Amino acid sequence: MNRALTVDDLVFAGIALAAGLLAAFLLRTLLRWLGKHADRTRWSGDDLIVDVLRTVVPWAAFLGGAASAGAALPLTRTVQHNVNQTLTVLLIFVVTLTAARGVAGVMRTVTQSRPGVAGSATIFVNITRILVLAIGFLVVLQTLGISIAPLLTALGVGGLAVALALQDTLANLFAGIHILASKTVQPGDYIRLSSGEEGYVEDINWRQTTVRALSNNLIVIPNGELAKTNMTNFMRPEQELTILLQVGVAYDSDLDHVERVTNDVIAEVMTEVEGALPDHEPIIRFHTFGDSRIGFTVILGVGEFSDQYRIKHEFIKRLHRRYRAEGISIPAPTRTVAIQQQSTVSIPLQRVPGEADEVTPVRLD
């Protein structure tokens, strides 16, 4: 346009911009109200939808008002084009960030709802977020009139150099993906490495796996090292497991009576202690004639790995108390030592001045 700017143009532009701001405010208020109602439902998808709309819709209303204000002003074609392009880029930027957050939320919700997938592993969430942001960046470049074909070619050539420079990082990345895809380790599993580290898997990200030990300390293990080491997963294929306790009684004990008393204590522990499995059939097996006792193994069922410490604690206390009440002896290891004495006579040597006396023992057979 070549005409001069008038007061009416400013008024119309101001009305359009104010209408956009008012619409953004009203829409945000409405979506906040919908969010409160969505929190009361069991389905988590409506919370995610409202959260995404709460960001995109108000911004879209404001940018629409700004575009209408720009159209009401007598701007030149070049300026009008630049204004529209700027507003479009801002809208794409907002939509991209919101879409990245929304898709990451969907990925997190899906993985947490399926026990066979990485429950809280951030590696898939981060990869998804990066892909959405990269697509949004390419759309912005295309909107600005910048050809993305040379950029993709340059990225393909430069990707080889980056891959060579980041071999360890990429090895950890693909090792983490392999671990999650093979379902050998998932967040929440209790693992023990051949090097001795053990604990609950907190998270598996693009570089490392975080393990929380029973002492509440965090152990950080590179994914590549985790994929190469020997490891025991106490949650796979089942979370429930059995524990073995070694017990011994004196040789003069009535073994049938010992077995009945031990079974009574096992039944008491399995029904009263948290983490025990009442339906698990207890097993008692005598196996050894030891130096001072007859040894046997008690096999108990526990709900998960950390429950075994509480169950062992209660079982040993109650079994010891019950054995004392029943007169069953748990003997301490004993050993008979025979000592043969020999007679010796000490014959003193002639003393040299300045030297200590020396005594030579002589054996008398």
Side-chain angles (χ1 to χ4, degrees):
M1 296 182 182
N2 296 325
R3 64 183 182 84
L5 181 64
T6 62
V7 176
D8 294 337
D9 296 332
L10 294 176
V11 171
F12 290 143
I15 293 174
L17 187 60
L21 289 173
L22 180 61
F25 175 77
L26 294 176
L27 289 172
R28 187 171 181 81
T29 303
L30 176 62
L31 291 171
R32 186 182 294 112
W33 177 79
L34 291 176
K36 293 180 180 179
H37 286 274
D39 292 336
R40 303 173 184 174
T41 62
R42 297 182 179 179
W43 184 47
S44 59
D46 53 357
D47 298 328
L48 184 60
I49 294 174
V50 172
D51 183 61
V52 171
L53 294 178
R54 189 184 300 175
T55 303
V56 174
V57 173
W59 274 101
F62 169 72
L63 294 176
S68 300
L73 296 175
L75 304 176
T76 62
R77 180 176 300 177
T78 302
V79 174
Q80 185 70 42
H81 174 73
N82 292 334
V83 169
N84 293 335
Q85 197 174 54
T86 302
L87 295 176
T88 303
V89 169
L90 287 176
L91 182 60
I92 295 174
F93 179 74
V94 172
V95 171
T96 300
L97 292 180
T98 307
R101 187 176 63 193
V103 173
V106 171
M107 180 67 67
R108 188 180 294 107
T109 301
V110 171
T111 54
Q112 289 178 350
S113 63
R114 298 184 180 182
V117 189
S120 62
T122 59
I123 183 170
F124 291 132
V125 176
N126 291 335
I127 291 176
T128 304
R129 184 183 290 114
I130 291 174
L131 289 176
V132 174
L133 292 176
I135 293 174
F137 177 71
L138 295 177
V139 172
V140 168
L141 293 180
Q142 192 69 28
T143 302
L144 295 176
I146 301 175
S147 177
I148 62 175
L151 178 61
L152 295 177
T153 303
L155 289 176
V157 175
L160 179 60
V162 173
L164 293 175
L166 301 176
Q167 291 185 25
D168 294 338
T169 302
L170 293 177
N172 289 324
L173 172 63
F174 289 110
I177 295 175
H178 170 71
I179 291 172
L180 293 173
S182 62
K183 300 180 182 179
T184 56
V185 178
Q186 301 293 328
D189 291 353
Y190 192 95
I191 63 173
R192 177 185 294 162
L193 306 184
S194 59
S195 55
E197 295 88 353
E198 62 179 276
Y200 289 96
V201 178
E202 288 283 310
D203 189 23
I204 303 176
N205 58 31
W206 62 275
R207 181 182 180 275
Q208 62 202 15
T209 298
T210 305
V211 177
R212 183 177 296 275
L214 293 179
S215 59
N216 209 31
N217 298 322
L218 291 180
I219 304 173
V220 179
I221 307 171
N223 293 332
E225 297 296 328
L226 183 63
K228 293 186 295 184
T229 188
N230 295 329
M231 174 184 59
T232 302
N233 191 336
F234 293 94
M235 300 293 190
R236 307 284 171 176
E238 295 180 359
Q239 183 173 339
E240 299 177 355
L241 69 154
T242 56
I243 57 175
L244 281 67
L245 290 89
Q246 304 300 324
V247 189
V249 294
Y251 273 91
D252 58 355
S253 302
D254 183 353
L255 298 187
D256 292 331
H257 181 57
V258 169
E259 187 173 4
R260 286 193 299 269
V261 171
T262 306
N263 275 320
D264 292 342
V265 175
I266 292 174
E268 179 183 340
V269 171
M270 289 293 101
T271 55
E272 297 180 4
V273 180
E274 181 183 358
L277 299 178
D279 298 333
H280 183 272
E281 181 180 359
I283 300 176
I284 299 175
R285 293 292 183 266
F286 294 94
H287 56 73
T288 304
F289 288 103
D291 293 337
S292 59
R293 63 180 68 188
I294 297 178
F296 63 94
T297 300
V298 178
I299 303 177
L300 305 176
V302 298
E304 61 109 357
F305 184 84
S306 62
D307 292 332
Q308 64 176 305
Y309 302 105
R310 184 189 314 109
I311 295 172
K312 288 180 180 179
H313 171 77
E314 289 295 330
F315 177 75
I316 292 175
K317 286 200 310 181
R318 301 186 186 197
L319 186 66
H320 180 261
R321 182 169 58 247
R322 184 67 183 276
Y323 276 6
R324 291 184 62 182
E326 297 289 339
I328 300 174
S329 174
I330 304 177
T334 59
R335 179 170 297 178
T336 303
V337 180
I339 301 177
Q340 182 179 2
Q341 295 182 346
Q342 296 178 346
S343 301
T344 59
V345 177
S346 298
I347 302 177
L349 300 179
Q350 184 178 1
R351 185 175 183 273
V352 179
E355 296 183 358
D357 291 341
E358 295 184 0
V359 178
T360 302
V362 178
R363 178 176 178 180
L364 299 179
D365 295 327

